[in-house]
Amino acid sequence: MFDFHIPQYFSQEELEALAHLQGARLEQIDYVIWRNIANPQEVYEALDWIVLGLDSGLEVALHVNADNKGIEVRPLDFEEAVELTKLQFNGQVELSRVDMSQSPHWQALMGKAITMVGLIDDGPAGAQNHLLQLQFGTQALEISLNEEGLLVKPVSSQ
């Protein structure tokens, strides 16, 4: 069951990676789609990774963690992920990497600096890892976890 009654938290290493986003300019966004192809009439897809390509050449990858209860920040070796997924799911699941830089959510943000990374701070416990917000001046996107993997949506200004 999907709920946040028992929060999970970003590690110190993940928080440091997220801190590197602040001030960086966004150059490319890739999504990695997890696709169950066992039944061609009912293909199931989920957004498994979001890869932020920065002006420094650095890529920061956000991924659904192993127990599907949080977002983790870790490097993506796409070829390795494809092979591991094939083995784990006996060829019934495939991964595809898609450039989403020109999609409605991201197009206006290309080339803009990330001015803030917003997290839910639980004080001494840490920052919850089921949601984060990327602020680009007056525009912001929320990246969260849901039943279907990762979800990206604009944050409405109030």
Side-chain angles (χ1 to χ4, degrees), residues 10 17-26 28-29 31 50-54 60-62 71 73 105-106 109-110 112-119 131-144 151-156:
F10 286 112
L18 291 171
H20 282 89
L21 292 175
Q22 195 155 321
R25 293 196 180 283
L26 191 60
Q28 183 167 333
I29 289 291
Y31 286 0
I50 298 173
V51 183
L52 298 98
L54 308 176
V60 175
L62 308 173
I71 300 169
V73 182
H105 286 325
W106 296 103
L109 303 175
M110 291 298 108
K112 290 191 176 182
I114 299 169
T115 54
M116 185 184 79
V117 178
L119 303 171
L131 180 141
L132 61 96
Q133 189 177 101
L134 299 177
Q135 187 81 35
F136 298 83
T138 59
Q139 296 173 287
L141 288 177
E142 179 181 280
I143 300 172
S144 61
L151 175 68
V152 178
K153 65 181 180 180
V155 175
S156 58

Side-chain angles (χ1 to χ4, degrees), residues 120-134:
I120 298 173
D121 187 355
D122 278 354
Q128 292 185 23
N129 70 352
H130 71 276
L131 180 141
L132 61 96
Q133 189 177 101
L134 299 177

Side-chain angles (χ1 to χ4, degrees), residues 93-115:
V93 172
E94 65 183 14
L95 297 179
S96 59
R97 186 170 178 160
V98 181
D99 182 351
M100 298 298 290
S101 302
Q102 298 304 310
S103 69
H105 286 325
W106 296 103
Q107 184 177 21
L109 303 175
M110 291 298 108
K112 290 191 176 182
I114 299 169
T115 54

Side-chain angles (χ1 to χ4, degrees), residues 16 42 45 48 59 68 77-78 83 97 100 104 116:
E16 289 169 10
E42 295 181 31
E45 295 182 336
D48 200 34
E59 286 188 344
N68 293 319
D77 180 333
F78 182 67
E83 290 306 313
R97 186 170 178 160
M100 298 298 290
M116 185 184 79

